[in-house]
Amino acid sequence: CILARETEGDMKKVWVQVDPWRKDLVTAALEAGADALVLPTGRSAEAKALGRITTVAPDGDIRLGTDVVRLEIAGKDDEERAARSPVKTLILQMRDWTIIPLENLLAQRGGLFVEVRRAEDARTVTQILERGADGIVLVSDDPGEIKRACAAVREHAEKVALVAATHGRLGADSKGLGT
């Protein structure tokens, strides 16, 4: 009997914005299992000295302004601009966001991260239209909220199930096919 992996869903990403710099927020993000930190210029090395983490900054591992771009979504024109953007990854800053504009964008493209301030919103954003946004950027100055948001996103993350499988007898031929 061999155990094989079956996976469901996609791993949603949790990025935590730490701007202005605060060591306690970086530590909370590291402890909570955040995927990346969105930092001001010049702080990537300092964050990496505290733990293994991807940095998103103008001088980070992921370059803010080049690899990923922030867009404010205040109306229909902004939605259309986001849908047409050639940039692979967008961070959406949605003023008084509602689910409908986000659903419209999710139906048109991937590579969307949404700024949120609470764990409850993180959960909603990553589950909209069953698929959800690819990730969230948490903007909070509360270490406890960072932990809650990471947990909220992870609770509906990739589920891995082990299933039993059988194999035939292995033969001596070069292909390993049974006889």
Side-chain angles (χ1 to χ4, degrees), residues 66-133:
T66 305
D67 301 324
V68 60
V69 173
R70 287 183 195 268
L71 283 178
E72 183 176 342
I73 307 296
K76 193 68 177 164
D77 290 343
D78 298 323
E79 284 180 49
E80 291 171 6
R81 193 177 77 221
R84 291 189 316 266
S85 176
V87 178
K88 184 178 174 185
T89 305
L90 298 176
I91 297 174
L92 304 178
Q93 297 170 305
M94 302 184 79
R95 216 185 296 161
D96 298 324
W97 72 275
T98 61
I99 291 173
I100 299 302
L102 187 53
E103 284 179 338
N104 293 341
L105 283 169
L106 288 169
Q108 295 179 62
R109 65 165 292 156
L112 298 176
F113 283 65
V114 178
E115 277 191 7
V116 298
R117 300 198 182 295
R118 301 175 310 147
E120 180 180 311
D121 295 336
R123 182 181 295 112
T124 300
V125 163
T126 56
Q127 294 177 18
I128 291 175
L129 291 178
E130 296 181 24
R131 182 185 112 175

Side-chain angles (χ1 to χ4, degrees), residues 24-42:
D24 64 322
L25 297 181
V26 172
T27 302
L30 288 165
E31 290 172 355
D35 297 291
L37 297 171
V38 181
L39 301 168
T41 302

